[in-house]
């Protein structure tokens, strides 16, 4: 399996191709529904004013996301009472819910990798070509196993979103993913969708 | 009345961390069907490694510990109010032990309660008084990814050419599997209910998932449809995680309930491969789990 270090260069991300297994190491951040809506509303479309610690969190996110990786994950975390945080279970969540936001977030922050499950649609695929970036598929439900590749929790932002929705900064080693959407406009998900549609039509006609 | 909080806490731990044997067996069989070196086979091998690790370390199989759905069948004389309090206490303790992720979010404020409690429907508890001496509690943890790809059809469905018969049921269920793609964490298990109103139909489609994978449907026509749907869904080629491959679903479980003359609903509850369901039996002060 090929090893890739975060932050990721444009050259490296362009060299990744659909179907390739990759082991990621470095610092990444989790973000899902609440985080994506917050980033887009507050700092990209600016439909709401920053409040509370919004500006501080934004400033902290920028260097992590530049050349970085965002992980669609709502972990189970131990040590909440002592703040000695440890990921217990941390598989991917369904990415398609971030389709309205992801492309804008990738362009705004120069995100190189998006990890999740289930794949994403045409807007994100276009952003992968432009950024450039790639969608990296983790194994859904393999939560205990994936948590073992999370070596340390470095911090957490927006814990008021709740544990699953907070943005956890994590150091990972050999985090296993498969490239399913690449910087060259190829999507394994679009291929499977089309093939399975034609198989369905045959079955329905039978 | 006995306090069952501790045994219920153990039921929650077991459900979240220890995949039932019938499901693990079906996943093992699925590995053998996928081509060596394929992404599909790799996904299933990872899944099985994770199942073993979760069991050994007593950590959640999946971080989305889902909606806790309790099915309580109790003999006469038990207080359901008291049982509810014990279940809620066990759920809150399980969350503090990190067997469950805090998953209960206020739909208006967006606030997470932090302990998996909130209102009358979280956790969801169904009570039924039954004959005999044994109290039986079944727990299913159903994650959000697979819940989101559930579907309900009102037949006839002209676009799919589905009429009000089992041939029509087959068509809409295959459509639901196609719509789900890999997003419900394939390979999935289909809980299907034919009939009812919209609410009872979805309820029954989940209850159908309590049947074990190797337990045949007592109705011959439905048993045949279950086998056919499983085989045909796998011809769609969606595969584990939607990577493509031979195994898109592990099984289908179909039930039926009476309907109004005007209505013919088919409800599909998609269960992810992490098919977490366990049973606790309390009798004469003794507890057992399966």
């Amino acid at each position: 399996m090929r090893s890739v270090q975060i932050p990721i260069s444009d050259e490296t991300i362009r060299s990744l191709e659909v179907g390739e297994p990759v082991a990621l190491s470095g610092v990444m951040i989790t973000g899902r529904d609440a985080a994506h809506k917050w980033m887009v509303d507050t700092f990209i479309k600016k439909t709401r004013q920053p409040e509370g610690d919004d500006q501080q969190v934004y400033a902290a996110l920028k260097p992590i996301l530049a050349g970085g990786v965002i992980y669609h994950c709502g972990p189970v975390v131990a040590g909440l009472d002592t703040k000695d945080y440890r990921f217990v279970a941390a598989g991917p969540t369904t990415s398609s819910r971030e389709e309205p936001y992801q492309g804008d977030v990738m362009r705004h922050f120069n995100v190189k990798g998006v990890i999740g499950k289930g794949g994403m649609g045409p807007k994100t695929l276009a952003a992968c070509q432009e950024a450039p970036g790639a969608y990296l598929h983790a194994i859904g439900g393999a939560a205990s196993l994936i948590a073992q590749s999370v070596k340390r929790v470095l911090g957490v932002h927006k814990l008021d979103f709740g544990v699953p929705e907070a943005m956890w900064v994590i150091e990972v080693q050999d985090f296993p993913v498969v490239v399913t959407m690449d910087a060259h406009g190829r999507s394994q998900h679009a291929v499977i969708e089309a093939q399975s549609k034609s198989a369905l039509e045959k079955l329905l006609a039978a | 009345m006995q306090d069952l909080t501790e045994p219920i806490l153990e039921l929650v731990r077991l459900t979240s961390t220890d995949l039932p044997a019938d499901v693990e067996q079906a996943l093992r069989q699925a590995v053998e069907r996928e081509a060596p070196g394929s992404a599909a086979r790799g996904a299933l091998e990872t899944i099985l490694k994770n199942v073993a690790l979760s069991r050994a370390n007593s950590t959640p199989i999946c971080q989305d510990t889902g909606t806790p759905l309790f099915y309580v069948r109790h003999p006469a004389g038990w207080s359901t109010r008291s049982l509810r309090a014990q279940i809620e206490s066990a759920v809150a303790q399980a969350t503090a032990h990190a067997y469950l992720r805090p998953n209960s979010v206020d739909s208006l404020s967006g606030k997470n309660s932090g302990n998996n409690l909130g209102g009358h429907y979280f956790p969801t508890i169904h009570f039924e008084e039954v004959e005999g001496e044994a109290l039986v509690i079944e727990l299913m943890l159903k994650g959000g990814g697979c819940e989101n790809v559930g579907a309900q059809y009102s037949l006839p469905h002209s676009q799919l050419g589905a009429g009000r018969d089992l041939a029509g049921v087959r068509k809409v269920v295959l459509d639901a599997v196609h719509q789900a793609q890999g997003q419900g964490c394939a390979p999935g298990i289909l809980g299907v209910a034919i009939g009812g109103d919209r609410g009872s139909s979805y309820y029954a489609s989940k209850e159908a998932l309590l049947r074990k994978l190797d337990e045949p449907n007592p109705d011959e026509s439905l048993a045949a449809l279950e086998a056919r749907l499983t085989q045909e869904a796998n011809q769609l080629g969606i595969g584990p995680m939607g990577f493509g491959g031979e195994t898109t679903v592990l099984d289908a479980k179909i039930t039926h309930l009476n309907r109004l003359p005007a209505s013919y609903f088919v409800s599909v509850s998609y269960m992810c491969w992490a098919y977490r369901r366990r049973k606790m039996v309390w009798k004469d002060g003794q507890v057992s789990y399966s």
Side-chain angles (χ1 to χ4, degrees), chain A residues 19 32 73-78 80 88-97 117-119 137-146 148 160-164 178 180 188-189 192-200 202-206, chain B residues 39 42-43 46-47 49-50 53-54 57 59-65 98-103 110-112 144-146 148 160 170-172 174-175 178 181-185 228 232-233 235-238 241-245 273-274:
Chain A
R32 44 178 290 175
C73 169
V76 176
V77 184
L80 291 170
V88 176
T93 192
T94 311
S95 299
S96 59
R97 297 191 307 269
K117 75 172 173 79
H137 204 300
I139 302 300
S144 292
L145 192 70
I146 292 173
Q148 291 202 325
D160 53 320
F161 288 169
V163 169
V178 178
T180 56
Q188 173 75 353
H189 306 285
I192 297 295
E193 154 73 33
Q195 286 175 355
S196 60
K197 185 154 182 49
S198 102
L200 176 69
K202 273 185 206 136
L203 286 166
L204 293 187
Chain B
T46 301
I47 282 169
K49 259 188 236 166
N50 180 62
L53 189 69
S54 305
N57 293 351
T59 51
I61 297 163
C62 177
Q63 79 291 336
D64 185 0
T65 54
Y99 301 140
L100 296 179
R101 184 178 72 181
N103 256 358
K111 285 282 172 222
N112 190 316
C146 67
N148 286 352
L160 294 169
R170 166 185 167 268
K171 288 185 177 181
V172 299
L174 288 173
D175 183 67
H178 173 257
Q181 292 290 303
Q183 309 220 5
C185 277
R228 183 173 180 191
E232 290 185 333
Q235 289 174 27
L236 295 176
I238 294 164
M241 288 296 125
F243 288 169
W273 69 257

Side-chain angles (χ1 to χ4, degrees), chain A residues 1-2 4 15-23 136 177-180:
Chain A
M1 197 184 298
R2 185 165 155 198
V4 169
S15 73
L16 298 180
E17 298 202 18
V18 162
E20 199 173 351
V22 173
L136 309 165
V177 292
V178 178
V179 181
T180 56

Side-chain angles (χ1 to χ4, degrees), chain B residues 48-251:
Chain B
L48 285 167
K49 259 188 236 166
N50 180 62
V51 167
L53 189 69
S54 305
R55 183 177 293 137
N57 293 351
S58 204
T59 51
I61 297 163
C62 177
Q63 79 291 336
D64 185 0
T65 54
T67 308
L69 299 159
F70 287 90
Y71 300 83
V72 180
R73 297 193 294 280
H74 61 88
W78 288 76
S79 158
T80 58
R81 213 165 36 152
S82 174
L83 280 168
R84 176 179 295 278
Q86 291 167 28
I87 287 171
E88 290 185 348
S89 171
V91 163
Q93 287 182 45
T95 312
H97 283 101
Y99 301 140
L100 296 179
R101 184 178 72 181
N103 256 358
S104 175
V105 178
D106 184 302
S107 294
L108 296 186
S109 70
K111 285 282 172 222
N112 190 316
S113 70
N115 61 1
N116 271 308
L117 304 182
H120 195 68
Y121 294 95
F122 213 110
T124 298
I125 310 172
H126 302 288
F127 289 103
E128 190 188 352
E129 185 182 311
V130 293
E131 295 207 16
E133 304 293 310
L135 172 94
V136 178
I137 305 180
E138 289 190 84
L139 170 60
M140 188 189 302
L141 298 175
K142 191 163 190 302
C146 67
E147 183 65 4
N148 286 352
V149 298
Q152 189 170 66
Y153 297 82
S154 177
L155 271 51
H157 193 294
S158 50
Q159 208 185 332
L160 294 169
R164 292 181 157 192
D165 51 23
L166 291 187
V169 172
R170 166 185 167 268
K171 288 185 177 181
V172 299
V173 174
L174 288 173
D175 183 67
V177 176
H178 173 257
Q179 297 286 345
Q181 292 290 303
Q183 309 220 5
C185 277
I189 299 92
L190 308 173
V192 179
I194 306 168
D197 66 13
R198 287 191 184 273
S200 62
S201 190
Y202 260 134
Y203 171 69
S205 71
K206 285 202 175 70
E207 211 177 31
L209 289 167
L210 293 173
R211 185 150 52 91
K212 285 202 168 176
L213 293 181
D214 45 16
E215 198 181 319
N217 196 315
D219 182 297
E220 267 181 43
S221 62
L222 294 185
L225 185 58
E226 287 176 356
R228 183 173 180 191
L229 275 172
T230 304
Q231 189 226 342
E232 290 185 333
N234 287 335
Q235 289 174 27
L236 295 176
I238 294 164
M241 288 296 125
F243 288 169
E246 304 299 318
T247 314
T248 300
V249 306
L250 296 175
D251 203 351

Side-chain angles (χ1 to χ4, degrees), chain B residues 17-21 23-24 27 51 55 61 273-276 278:
Chain B
T17 63
D18 192 346
L19 196 72
V23 183
E24 192 173 357
L27 289 165
V51 167
R55 183 177 293 137
I61 297 163
W273 69 257
Y275 185 8
R276 290 154 287 171
R278 287 283 180 178

